[in-house]
Amino acid sequence: MLAVCGASGNLGGRTLRHLVERVDASRVVALSRTPDRVPEVGAETRVADFSDPEGLVRAFDGVERLLIISLDAITGRVPKHANAIDAAAKAGVGHVIYTSVARAGEPGNPVGVVPDHRDTERLLASSGLTFTALRFNVWPEMLTYLGIAQRAVAAGRLPGNAGDGRVGYITRDDSAAVAAAVLADGGCEGQLLEVTGPAAVREADIAEALTEATGRRVRHEPVTDEEMPTRLTALGMPAPLAEAWTEAGIARREGWFDVMTHAAERLTGRRPTSIAEFFAAERATLLAT
């Protein structure tokens, strides 16, 4: 059996859909705290709560390959990941696939979520389980979810403090397709796999892609770290978010997301979505502000 944790979530649901395109749905188990919200794809559903270690062992029974999607919680994430890893070992899961982030194991990585992912990867390495860490780069959906792209289109300028720092943006759907491929086909055992889109792009490239997608001129506006929060709040971004995005800009400038691999295309057999293609598909959203 092939199992997807977090199957009622955005990434989990997409992974399920890609998975049943590769294997018969009778081989698939959808795991969730809220199984009634799991997409209907013909798979078996089971309750799985990372706060319930004994229940997880039952949920993982008979599972050959298991996808553990990292929790969104800002605090208390690693102990719950540990519960899932321990349960997988007790249930005899053959291969665990974990959704991590870019360059999670590298010392000095300043990105706020990295310590949790690094600790989880270490737990997997010491568990005795066969595992793969899928180190996904940044989802471009973050640019629309946070309203950064829409505000840039409305204002005609994209302020940025990342300089020439590049990001290997990979869409959530492409990430799901990669996870489904490893679940379905196996392989990549023991690998800490950096997974990116087709190119690592600069903020200037994002401004150009926004211009092309919307027909509205968007100019990249380089600013200092000190100026960045003020420029963002002037565009309507809440102050805490502006501070966080400024910190992320420093990490981008320092090259922490400047990764480009062909893993996504090699594993899925399809070319991942470019930033220009992503924005073209989001044109209505970009012009709604």
Side-chain angles (χ1 to χ4, degrees):
M1 300 293 282
L2 312 175
V4 177
C5 290
S8 60
N10 207 326
L11 179 61
R14 288 172 183 265
T15 301
L16 271 182
R17 292 187 177 95
H18 283 291
L19 186 57
V20 297
E21 292 176 359
R22 289 178 169 271
V23 303
D24 192 277
S26 64
R27 294 183 57 201
V28 178
V29 178
L31 304 170
S32 174
R33 287 184 306 151
T34 54
D36 56 310
R37 298 181 184 177
V38 171
E40 178 50 59
V41 296
E44 177 187 352
T45 59
R46 299 179 187 174
V47 175
D49 187 334
F50 282 22
S51 298
D52 178 10
E54 293 183 3
L56 286 174
V57 177
R58 293 190 295 272
F60 297 164
D61 182 54
V63 171
E64 176 188 358
R65 286 192 287 273
L66 169 71
L67 176 66
I68 296 178
I69 294 178
S70 56
L71 297 177
D72 290 334
I74 297 174
T75 59
R77 177 163 39 191
V78 176
K80 292 181 180 180
H81 289 172
N83 288 342
I85 292 167
D86 290 344
K90 290 176 181 177
V93 173
H95 184 183
V96 172
I97 300 102
Y98 172 68
T99 61
S100 189
V101 296
R103 303 177 67 178
E106 295 189 28
N109 191 327
V111 179
V113 299
V114 159
D116 283 356
H117 291 286
R118 181 169 55 232
D119 289 348
T120 301
E121 289 182 1
R122 288 173 177 169
L123 288 171
L124 283 164
S126 63
S127 69
L129 289 162
T130 297
F131 78 96
T132 302
L134 299 176
R135 290 178 169 175
F136 293 125
N137 213 286
V138 180
W139 290 336
E141 287 88 345
M142 291 294 293
L143 297 170
T144 51
Y145 175 74
L146 298 176
I148 294 163
Q150 298 94 309
R151 291 184 174 97
V153 170
R157 64 184 187 279
L158 176 68
N161 63 325
D164 284 330
R166 296 175 181 268
V167 179
Y169 288 106
I170 180 166
T171 67
R172 184 184 280 112
D173 192 66
D174 286 331
S175 300
V178 168
V182 179
L183 271 173
D185 302 334
C188 303
E189 291 91 344
Q191 295 186 31
L192 307 172
L193 197 63
E194 298 287 344
V195 185
T196 76
V201 301
R202 304 166 301 163
E203 287 178 330
D205 300 320
I206 291 174
E208 182 178 338
L210 288 171
T211 299
E212 180 181 343
T214 64
R216 294 183 182 178
R217 173 63 177 162
V218 178
R219 177 173 55 88
H220 175 231
E221 185 178 58
V223 299
T224 66
D225 297 338
E226 293 73 23
E227 296 172 323
M228 185 68 169
T230 301
R231 295 295 182 93
L232 291 174
T233 54
L235 293 177
M237 183 177 287
L241 183 56
E243 293 288 348
W245 193 248
T246 299
E247 291 297 319
I250 296 172
R252 295 195 300 276
R253 186 176 70 232
E254 293 178 348
W256 288 102
F257 299 102
D258 188 359
V259 183
M260 211 291 288
T261 73
H262 297 288
E265 184 169 6
R266 173 172 58 82
L267 291 167
T268 65
R270 71 180 200 186
R271 186 179 62 84
T273 307
S274 70
I275 196 73
E277 290 166 338
F278 171 76
F279 284 139
E282 295 292 318
R283 187 175 188 275
T285 298
L286 295 171
L287 293 172
T289 302

